[in-house]
Amino acid sequence: SKMTVKAVKMPCTSANVYTKVPDGGWGWTVAFAFFVVEALTYGIIKSFGVFFNDLMESFDETNSRISWIISICVFVQTFTAPLSTVLSNRFGHRLVVMAGGLLVSTGMVIASFARSVVDMYVTIGIVSGLGYCLSFLPTVTILSQYFDKRRSLVTAVASTGECFAVFSFAPAITALKEQIGWRYSMLSVGVLQLGITACGSLLRPIVIREQEEVKAQPPEESTETKYMLENEQTCTSIESIDSGVDITTSPSNVPGKTKAEPKSEEPKQHGQNPVENNSSPPEPKTKLLDFSVMRDYSFICYAFFGLFATLGFFAPSLYIIPLSRSLGISKDHSAYILSAMAIAEVFGRIFAGWVLNKKPIRKIYIELICVILLAVALVAFPFASGFWGLMICSVYFGFMLGTVAGTHIPLLAEDDVVGIEKMSSAAGVYVFIQSLAGLAGPPLAGVLVDTTKNYSSAFYSCAAGMVLGAVFLALVRPCKTGLCHHQQQQQQVEESTAGPPAELPDDFIDMDIGKAENSGKGSDSV
């Protein structure tokens, strides 16, 4: 039968109940909410580089100490990912995202009144960082639950929100600073981030309830008539067989079938329906956080990929403007370079979603190719000279970053990693492991810049992390297939030992039917 949706009275507060993954429906509204949440979370984080020089001048601090603002923010965002998973499973995605939006906005607004860089460590780093975690992860998780066949494409397109944000926010904030200063500009960004709370209210829960096909009555009647025909062929009837034959030939001995006695047929059917209804809805065994994914070798390799690849996600967007300024490029042209990177990332995300949506493609291998090309893009930055050289490198990096950044978390739902059933817990653990790189990446790049007095060292460190991530990503599929083969061998051993007893009832029925036929012929001959 076709997919059905139970009617609900309040459109934004009740759960959507589907018989299978809808691949659309209210999922399009969730996709739009994810687009806006991406813009107001990662879009703001990537645009924070426009405040770097202002903060260094206002607080008289070095690159590395200012970099700790985003480092702490990213660390808290990723370190508290398991907490986000637990809260989402306990209170629902909607309330968690709305609370996260309030924290993000509160931290950014208070940061605009900061008097030292330590104040920003607390406000943007801890308060907003926790809000970013509570906002982003539940949104991408529930979006993956609304889509199956189109999951890669829809998630990739919706994740372009951060690209459009960087494209629009970087020039807008730069122009706004010239008019009202960096403090009021940061205050305006904090007020704008209240939109996350509105998007959270659109995240209606989804319940996938399998079709109640067990309640079909005709198959039971056809089974009864089948047994009656078999008994008629043996010159007997259901009423005339003795108790021994009735036990072996009656459908009551077949698991899940009703008795073939006409008088007891109706009560049995009515008494059996509640059992079927009790078995159709799954028992609420949802764990708040399932750490069993840590026993999956393919997930462990994928987590190490995320750990090292994170080194190359944030530092380039933070240091592209200081790098361009060190090459003698003006502020306005530097903002254009960051915007061009964001536009290229949009096309990269859409391209990756379109490619991964193709059926015969092994998505892990496509991701591996994109990661390798992303490492090449990071190495190319130190060789850029002038505005157009840096522009070409930024566009190339932005495109390749889009192919990886928009797909690495949704790929957790693929069978090559953990699958959709464990994606919620896997996403929390995966992002938690990323927190170490998120904390160490930007400060490490800042220390290298302060030591070498050259921004190229920051991009080299990012490239090294991306190469290590590619090595672990290449091991995901072999670990999964090797583990599966090992499990299949164990299952075969178990089936070989427990196989004969499992088939005993069917053989037992056939043998008893044969005995009944022989006894019937013997009685006729007598």
Side-chain angles (χ1 to χ4, degrees), residues 53-63 65-66 117:
N53 291 331
D54 299 294
L55 297 179
M56 290 173 62
E57 294 175 1
S58 298
F59 300 141
D60 192 20
E61 296 288 353
T62 61
N63 260 301
R65 286 181 60 85
I66 297 298
V117 69

Side-chain angles (χ1 to χ4, degrees), residues 126-191:
I126 297 178
V127 179
S128 292
L130 178 60
Y132 285 136
C133 177
L134 299 182
S135 302
F136 172 77
L137 197 57
T139 310
V140 69
T141 301
I142 195 173
L143 177 62
S144 299
Q145 296 173 0
Y146 268 95
F147 291 90
D148 182 17
K149 298 178 181 179
R150 303 173 180 172
R151 183 185 300 133
S152 297
L153 181 60
V154 172
T155 306
V157 174
S159 66
T160 59
E162 69 177 78
C163 309
F164 284 106
V166 175
F167 169 71
S168 57
F169 288 167
I173 295 175
T174 302
L176 193 61
K177 287 192 306 177
E178 301 294 334
Q179 301 295 327
I180 61 177
W182 70 267
R183 291 187 180 274
Y184 286 106
S185 299
M186 190 173 291
L187 176 65
S188 303
V189 171
V191 174

Side-chain angles (χ1 to χ4, degrees), residues 471-509:
V471 172
F472 283 101
L473 183 60
L475 297 175
V476 172
R477 177 65 182 167
C479 288
K480 173 62 74 172
T481 54
L483 182 62
C484 289
H485 288 325
H486 180 65
Q487 291 178 348
Q488 287 177 0
Q489 290 176 358
Q490 289 182 345
Q491 290 178 357
Q492 289 177 359
V493 173
E494 293 177 357
E495 290 177 359
S496 63
T497 56
E503 297 178 355
L504 184 59
D506 295 336
D507 297 336
F508 183 70
I509 293 175

Side-chain angles (χ1 to χ4, degrees), residues 299-309 430 433 465 468-469 472-473:
F299 173 75
I300 293 175
C301 290
Y302 197 82
F304 275 108
F305 149 70
L307 175 69
F308 291 106
Y430 172 76
I433 294 175
L468 288 175
F472 283 101
L473 183 60

Side-chain angles (χ1 to χ4, degrees), residues 255-513:
K257 304 298 181 183
T258 57
K259 277 191 175 183
E261 299 176 1
K263 294 181 182 180
S264 62
E265 177 182 0
E266 197 69 24
K268 290 291 180 181
Q269 289 180 356
H270 286 293
Q272 204 171 9
N273 282 337
V275 178
E276 295 171 358
N277 291 335
N278 289 336
S279 60
S280 57
E283 296 181 1
K285 295 181 180 179
T286 305
K287 297 181 180 179
L288 294 181
L289 187 62
D290 187 6
F291 278 102
S292 64
V293 295
M294 294 298 295
R295 296 195 296 266
D296 192 336
Y297 296 137
S298 62
F299 173 75
I300 293 175
C301 290
Y302 197 82
F304 275 108
F305 149 70
L307 175 69
F308 291 106
T310 304
L311 293 174
F313 282 169
F314 294 101
S317 59
L318 292 177
Y319 285 100
I320 187 65
I321 290 183
L323 176 63
S324 61
R325 296 288 293 149
S326 66
L327 295 177
I329 302 174
S330 64
K331 290 183 179 180
D332 294 335
H333 287 79
S334 299
Y336 293 151
I337 292 175
L338 190 60
S339 299
M341 181 189 299
I343 295 175
E345 188 176 344
V346 171
F347 289 100
R349 289 172 181 264
I350 296 176
F351 175 77
W354 176 76
V355 171
L356 294 179
N357 203 45
K358 299 296 181 181
K359 287 287 185 183
I361 292 180
R362 182 68 63 182
K363 298 180 181 180
I364 287 292
Y365 295 151
I366 299 299
E367 186 83 353
L368 177 60
I369 296 173
C370 295
V371 170
I372 295 174
L373 295 177
L374 182 58
V376 174
L378 290 168
V379 175
F381 271 104
F383 299 96
S385 60
F387 173 77
W388 288 109
L390 201 58
M391 175 69 77
I392 293 174
C393 290
S394 299
V395 170
Y396 175 51
F397 171 80
F399 182 86
M400 299 315 305
L401 178 64
T403 60
V404 177
T407 56
H408 70 109
I409 292 181
L411 277 182
L412 290 168
E414 299 299 324
D415 293 333
D416 283 339
V417 188
V418 295
I420 187 63
E421 293 81 7
K422 295 184 178 181
M423 187 206 172
S424 180
S425 295
V429 177
Y430 172 76
V431 177
F432 169 78
I433 294 175
Q434 280 186 294
S435 63
L436 299 177
L439 177 66
L444 175 61
V447 170
L448 292 175
V449 170
D450 292 336
T451 303
T452 62
K453 306 299 180 182
N454 190 351
Y455 287 101
S456 300
S457 56
F459 293 91
Y460 284 135
S461 65
C462 295
M466 197 64 64
V467 171
L468 288 175
V471 172
F472 283 101
L473 183 60
L475 297 175
V476 172
R477 177 65 182 167
C479 288
K480 173 62 74 172
T481 54
L483 182 62
C484 289
H485 288 325
H486 180 65
Q487 291 178 348
Q488 287 177 0
Q489 290 176 358
Q490 289 182 345
Q491 290 178 357
Q492 289 177 359
V493 173
E494 293 177 357
E495 290 177 359
S496 63
T497 56
E503 297 178 355
L504 184 59
D506 295 336
D507 297 336
F508 183 70
I509 293 175
D510 294 338
M511 292 173 62
D512 283 350
I513 291 177

